[in-house]
Amino acid sequence: MAYDRNNVFARILRGEITCNKVYEDEHVLAFDDISARAPTHVLVIPKGEYVSLDDFSAKASATELAAFIRALGHVARARGVADTGYRILANVGRDGHQEVPHFHAHVVGGRDLGAMLPRR
Ligand code: AMP
């Protein structure tokens, strides 16, 4: 799947849409999800043009990969959920119900998040 430069997160990265920034460095931007599902719900995105975790894991440099993982931990500590616990979630593709085609991880916490997935 080709990267769509008009997706909403690309527009946030270009400053065309505002966000509530939580963290930023050379490779990563983190901001509050506009439709929070928990007291803490932050989206962490790479600045590079990667469609999904599949794309990112295959093509990102070791530096970008490391920066992304470090940012996840930084956000959790900055939001005060590191001690109580939290969940990192990345939806990928059709079955994962990924809505925005720019790779992102959700950092959710601040309440008991329940079981990982409903059983079917
Ligand atoms: P996903 O299903 O993993 O692709 O999730 C996309 C997430 O992006 C959803 O949780 C949306 O609430 C969130 N979202 C969409 N537009 C914005 C925006 N402009 N600012 C912040 N979060 C957004």
Side-chain angles (χ1 to χ4, degrees):
M1 182 186 187
Y3 184 81
D4 169 15
R5 292 203 165 135
N6 284 319
N7 78 73
V8 65
F9 295 168
R11 297 186 67 202
I12 285 174
L13 284 168
R14 289 197 297 270
E16 294 167 9
I17 297 176
T18 57
C19 70
N20 186 27
K21 191 190 296 182
V22 177
Y23 174 77
E24 182 172 20
D25 65 27
E26 187 185 346
H27 300 290
V28 182
L29 177 67
F31 51 91
D32 284 319
D33 194 294
I34 205 166
S35 182
R37 311 279 179 101
T40 290
H41 188 168
V42 178
L43 299 172
V44 179
I45 70 172
K47 290 187 173 176
E49 296 181 346
Y50 301 103
V51 174
S52 67
L53 175 61
D54 185 61
D55 196 23
F56 185 68
S57 65
K59 296 183 192 153
S61 68
T63 305
E64 290 173 295
L65 292 163
F68 193 84
I69 298 293
R70 291 230 185 262
L72 294 175
H74 180 92
V75 163
R77 289 188 294 277
R79 279 299 160 95
V81 297
D83 288 343
T84 47
Y86 56 96
R87 186 166 293 156
I88 304 294
L89 202 152
N91 297 317
V92 181
R94 184 198 63 197
D95 286 355
H97 288 237
Q98 181 179 356
E99 289 170 13
V100 179
H102 180 112
F103 170 49
H104 53 281
H106 301 250
V107 181
V108 287
R111 66 168 169 81
D112 183 336
L113 297 169
M116 185 173 71
L117 282 175
R119 293 186 193 278
R120 291 233 168 155

